[in-house]
Amino acid sequence: MSTPVLTAVHFYPVKSLAGCAVREAAVEPWGLSGDRRWMLAGPDGMMITQRQQPRLALASAQPLPGGGVRLAAPGVDPLDVAVPGPVDKGGTVTVQVFRDKIEAVPAGAAADAWVSAFLGFEARLLHMDEPAVRRGIDPEFSVPGETVSFADGYPLLVTTLASLDALNALVADGDLPGEGPLPMDRFRPNVVIGGTEAWAEDGWRRVRIGEVTFRAVKPCGRCVVTTTDQRTAGRGKEPLRTLARHHRIDGKAVFGKNLIPEHTGILRVGDTVEILD
């Protein structure tokens, strides 16, 4: 077995929109710099993701200097959105992210009109202004004071190339082989590691990637988003069908593992990876 190595780094400026592949990224206490600091919500404050709206995969948000984003999607003109301030945008509003109620800052009328035009119904774009205090991590898996962005629950998600190869082999031998092979973007990871055994990440407890050490706290239970083609927004049944049959942990179909950083630093593609525990 070769030495494990970091092969890819991704962040997702707006939750559920297309991600950005980068050669290096800063690790902040709540995740990669710029990762999921923006989200979409309906008028009732409930988050909108690819779970309900798979066509969000067709929209992108490129980072701008200062933390803003450039929104782009089929059928609407691109729009640059600056980071809003709580005062000049009228303060914060309450949004619902799974079980968490979080204060977020509205991006403004122009951004709301853009996302509403793309989705075809009323929606809002919101920004997390203070990730150090806005949303705590599940206390069962964290220590007091640890926080996360608008990500599903944890600061980073790691996947491995060997596990994807193993999954695709299972898909090929299953009853829907035409849906494979699946690309890694179905799982929307932050970091991808090569040079491991298949499913090795399930047992990791602490890992060092380059200069940053992480606690590997929880296997990632997967949802319907993984069945969404990130290039066409079409949906199938894989990989959930195969994961449910062949790779369940604690009753959930899983792929990848959630990470919490122990300190800040920089991740670079090509960094060596050390399994500490």
Side-chain angles (χ1 to χ4, degrees):
M1 181 63 62
S2 59
T3 300
V5 64
L6 179 62
T7 64
V9 178
H10 303 270
F11 73 103
Y12 307 84
V14 179
K15 183 179 181 70
S16 265
L17 269 61
C20 302
V22 292
R23 298 293 300 177
E24 65 177 54
V27 177
E28 298 175 336
W30 39 83
L32 295 183
S33 178
D35 187 48
R36 297 176 175 97
R37 291 286 297 275
W38 303 80
M39 65 168 278
L40 304 181
D44 58 358
M46 296 294 295
M47 71 173 179
I48 300 170
T49 74
Q50 285 187 38
R51 291 168 176 84
Q52 308 88 13
Q53 298 293 327
R55 68 190 304 265
L56 287 175
L58 305 179
S60 66
Q62 292 295 320
L64 297 175
V69 290
R70 175 168 294 152
L71 303 175
V76 288
D77 293 332
L79 178 70
D80 288 359
V81 183
V83 171
V87 175
D88 61 21
K89 293 297 181 183
T92 62
V93 297
T94 302
V95 295
Q96 186 89 31
V97 181
F98 300 110
R99 293 175 294 179
D100 298 328
K101 289 187 176 181
I102 309 164
E103 293 303 304
V105 185
D112 293 350
W114 191 95
V115 298
S116 298
F118 173 64
L119 288 171
F121 58 85
E122 187 177 353
R124 308 182 75 179
L125 179 67
L126 300 124
H127 182 256
M128 181 179 284
D129 58 338
E130 297 289 347
V133 299
R134 289 298 185 197
R135 184 184 180 210
I137 301 172
D138 184 341
E140 183 179 353
F141 299 98
S142 64
V143 299
E146 290 182 328
T147 61
V148 64
S149 67
F150 289 130
D152 276 3
Y154 299 88
L156 283 89
L157 173 66
V158 61
T159 60
T160 67
L161 295 176
S163 294
L164 182 64
D165 288 343
L167 173 61
N168 277 325
L170 292 168
V171 171
D173 288 338
D175 52 7
L176 293 172
E179 290 198 19
L182 304 170
M184 189 65 85
D185 65 6
R186 290 290 188 96
F187 304 96
R188 298 176 64 84
N190 293 113
V191 290
V192 181
I193 293 175
T196 72
E197 295 182 357
W199 315 118
E201 64 275 16
D202 294 343
W204 295 349
R205 297 178 63 184
R206 289 182 74 239
V207 59
R208 180 182 294 117
I209 305 174
E211 63 186 44
V212 186
T213 303
F214 301 87
R215 302 196 321 276
V217 295
K218 186 177 183 290
C220 186
R222 307 314 309 214
C223 72
V224 69
V225 172
T226 60
T227 69
T228 306
D229 187 318
Q230 296 295 300
R231 291 164 178 78
T232 68
R235 274 198 172 146
K237 295 184 181 299
E238 295 291 7
L240 287 185
R241 191 181 188 94
T242 293
L243 288 173
R245 290 175 173 175
H246 298 285
H247 198 67
R248 298 174 71 91
I249 297 176
D250 295 331
K252 295 182 178 180
V254 305
F255 189 90
K257 197 149 191 183
N258 293 297
L259 304 179
I260 299 176
E262 296 185 341
H263 55 85
T264 59
I266 305 295
L267 297 182
R268 299 174 177 86
V269 172
D271 280 347
T272 57
V273 178
E274 183 181 2
I275 310 309
L276 302 175
D277 188 8

